[in-house]
Amino acid sequence: MKFKLFFAIAILWIVGCYGQEISSNKVFKEIALVNGIEFINPKYDQPKFSCGFLIKYNNETFAVTAKHILKIIKPEKMTTLLLENYIKKWVLYPLNNKSEIVICDKLLNEDKSELLEAKSTYDNDWLVFSIKQNSSNIIPLEIRNTPLVQGEKLYVVGWTRTMENGSQRVYEFEYYKTISNRILLKDILVPEKFGGLSGAPLVDENGLLVGIVSNGTVDPDSNKKFFSPCSVTNLVTFMENRKHNK
């Protein structure tokens, strides 16, 4: 009888462990957000869609998420990177505290000549917004300005599509190489499904921003596909040009 009871408890413990979401033990301050998007046509509204974060640059704070998410949720007539006449309101908030809202103002990299369906959307896979109001306690990220080192640990912070609440999750990777502006990573501690992490920040051990979760890239040397966030190099160039053009 005692053996049966012990066996039953052991089975429940194993099932419970396997049912838990795999994530890293690395802890960061609250830095992750999710998007809440209101369209002029409410049938396209997205109360919770993918991830985002804040950055601090030249003593200003901006909101950032992935550009390619617009491919997935846009109205059919919205063909270019122009939000006017389609999107009424764009906010970001931490999933574990929905009252802490960041209200976006202008899409700074808006471009009516850029087609959303073009493959080049993934080349610079970021949207950067000025901020109208920030009632959150989220920490804006600083951007790393030193090269990545092969084998160093990097982390994605956010929530997958199936998560409806709870604190931010941290997933662990190893830096492999950079191809153009794509950062190829080796998996260490990752979710079973990556869906919903688009737009989440990729940070180093010290919490400095190095990339934005985007898509996958095939390494031409090994012909293997790697999870590959978009580098922030061109985002930095964009922000610098914007500063000089003011």
Side-chain angles (χ1 to χ4, degrees):
M1 183 68 181
K2 287 183 179 180
F3 174 78
K4 289 182 178 179
L5 180 60
F6 173 80
F7 182 76
I9 291 172
I11 292 294
L12 288 172
W13 180 82
I14 292 170
V15 170
C17 287
Y18 277 97
Q20 293 175 1
E21 174 73 29
I22 295 174
S23 59
S24 172
N25 290 326
K26 179 72 174 176
V27 176
F28 293 99
K29 293 180 179 179
E30 297 296 313
I31 60 174
L33 298 161
V34 296
N35 297 290
I37 309 166
E38 290 183 27
F39 286 80
I40 289 175
N41 184 341
K43 82 172 188 177
Y44 295 102
D45 284 358
Q46 302 291 331
K48 168 191 168 279
F49 195 83
S50 292
C51 296
F53 54 95
L54 303 180
I55 61 169
K56 180 176 281 187
Y57 198 79
N58 290 327
N59 296 316
E60 290 185 79
T61 300
F62 304 91
V64 178
T65 187
K67 186 192 299 179
H68 79 262
I69 66 174
L70 288 175
K71 288 176 177 278
I72 304 166
I73 59 174
K74 71 178 184 66
E76 187 175 346
K77 292 183 179 179
M78 185 179 174
T79 57
T80 65
L81 190 57
L82 186 66
L83 306 190
E84 186 181 4
N85 300 325
Y86 296 102
I87 293 178
K88 181 167 60 175
K89 187 178 183 181
W90 196 308
V91 304
L92 297 97
Y93 60 92
L95 196 57
N96 59 333
N97 194 339
K98 299 175 183 179
S99 64
E100 292 189 15
I101 294 179
V102 177
I103 302 175
C104 295
D105 191 8
K106 295 179 180 179
L107 176 61
L108 301 180
N109 61 317
E110 194 166 62
D111 184 353
K112 64 181 180 182
S113 68
E114 181 174 351
L115 295 175
L116 289 174
E117 292 303 325
K119 290 183 179 180
S120 59
T121 298
Y122 287 99
D123 293 343
N124 293 303
D125 195 4
W126 39 266
L127 301 175
V128 55
F129 294 90
S130 58
I131 293 174
K132 182 182 295 183
Q133 180 182 326
N134 181 4
S135 63
S136 79
N137 293 311
I138 293 297
I139 306 296
L141 295 172
E142 303 277 352
I143 297 173
R144 172 165 160 167
N145 57 17
T146 57
L148 295 171
V149 178
Q150 189 175 55
E152 75 169 288
K153 285 187 178 179
L154 297 175
Y155 305 88
V156 168
V157 186
W159 296 270
T160 61
R161 184 181 297 123
T162 58
M163 297 172 185
E164 296 297 332
N165 50 51
S167 59
Q168 63 188 18
R169 273 47 163 208
V170 178
Y171 302 105
E172 195 169 310
F173 301 84
E174 183 181 293
Y175 174 63
Y176 176 49
K177 64 164 66 171
T178 298
I179 298 178
S180 185
N181 59 344
R182 310 297 295 201
I183 301 170
L184 277 60
L185 303 175
K186 294 181 178 180
D187 297 351
I188 300 180
L189 292 169
V190 302
E192 184 178 344
K193 294 182 180 180
F194 284 83
L197 283 172
S198 291
L202 176 70
V203 298
D204 67 9
E205 191 79 24
N206 299 311
L208 293 174
L209 179 70
V210 298
I212 303 160
V213 173
S214 176
N215 205 332
T217 297
V218 175
D219 173 25
D221 295 331
S222 63
N223 204 34
K224 180 181 176 182
K225 189 172 185 179
F226 288 83
F227 176 63
S228 60
C230 179
S231 167
V232 294
T233 302
N234 289 344
L235 173 59
V236 171
T237 301
F238 174 84
M239 299 301 284
E240 277 298 302
N241 290 339
R242 177 179 175 272
K243 179 183 74 172
H244 295 313
N245 292 333
K246 273 188 173 181

